[in-house]
Amino acid sequence: MPKADALFNTNRRCLLAGIIAAPIVAVLPATAAETVPVDAAFFAHYQKFNTVFRAVREMSRLPEPPANTPDGEAYEARFDALVSEECRLLSELAAMPAHTAQGQRIKAELILKLLPEHMTHSVIAEYDSNTQLVLSLARDLVRETAA
């Protein structure tokens, strides 16, 4: 599968899985951060995601070896494995509750970083109202936790 197709198809599935969980972040009460343990597991998982995310973006900028060669096939296999790992980690992050304002901000920042990237590859020419609402909520959470 060509690099662009793999990145697009996998990110689309990852983002849809993650975005469905996004509105849940906003309903946690402000006092939850005081009564719930720190998001240590969430933060560690986020660091893993960031490492893989950067590796995928870096590899996508590199020139590909010729297709249908041992080097080309090895390259594609490495890239596909990284993209699959990115998708898995993002889905797991979406399933993990963020109990602290910092964890919620991380989820909101991920939405703001990943959703527009996803939408540039979408067949939808402009953001629908659901997408606009998710982006608006993410911006609100980033602003709120920055204050």
Side-chain angles (χ1 to χ4, degrees):
M1 174 183 296
K3 205 172 10 176
D5 291 340
L7 194 58
F8 166 70
N9 289 333
T10 305
N11 279 341
R12 181 181 180 101
R13 287 190 300 271
C14 293
L15 282 168
L16 291 176
I19 289 167
I20 289 170
I24 296 168
V25 175
V27 298
L28 290 174
T31 58
E34 299 165 4
T35 60
V36 178
V38 178
D39 291 331
F42 176 81
F43 296 137
H45 208 76
Y46 173 67
Q47 292 301 331
K48 289 178 194 173
F49 171 80
N50 264 341
T51 300
V52 173
F53 178 84
R54 283 190 301 272
V56 167
R57 296 322 177 271
E58 178 62 32
M59 197 167 180
S60 69
R61 287 189 288 270
L62 297 173
E64 292 183 50
N68 300 322
T69 65
D71 286 343
E73 290 174 10
Y75 180 90
E76 283 298 321
R78 281 192 315 273
F79 186 78
D80 288 346
L82 278 173
V83 170
S84 293
E85 180 70 359
E86 178 185 354
C87 182
R88 183 186 69 77
L89 290 168
L90 183 60
S91 293
E92 290 172 0
L93 274 174
M96 296 174 84
H99 299 289
T100 63
Q102 184 181 7
Q104 292 170 9
R105 181 183 178 121
I106 286 171
K107 281 190 173 185
E109 288 172 348
L110 281 171
I111 290 168
L112 292 174
K113 178 171 37 174
L114 299 175
L115 184 57
E117 176 183 303
H118 163 72
M119 294 303 291
T120 61
H121 299 291
S122 177
V123 295
I124 301 169
E126 53 188 58
Y127 296 151
D128 64 7
S129 58
N130 292 327
T131 304
Q132 291 174 359
L133 181 62
V134 169
L135 286 170
S136 175
L137 173 62
R139 284 189 297 270
D140 292 346
L141 285 169
V142 168
R143 269 194 309 274
E144 178 69 25
T145 56

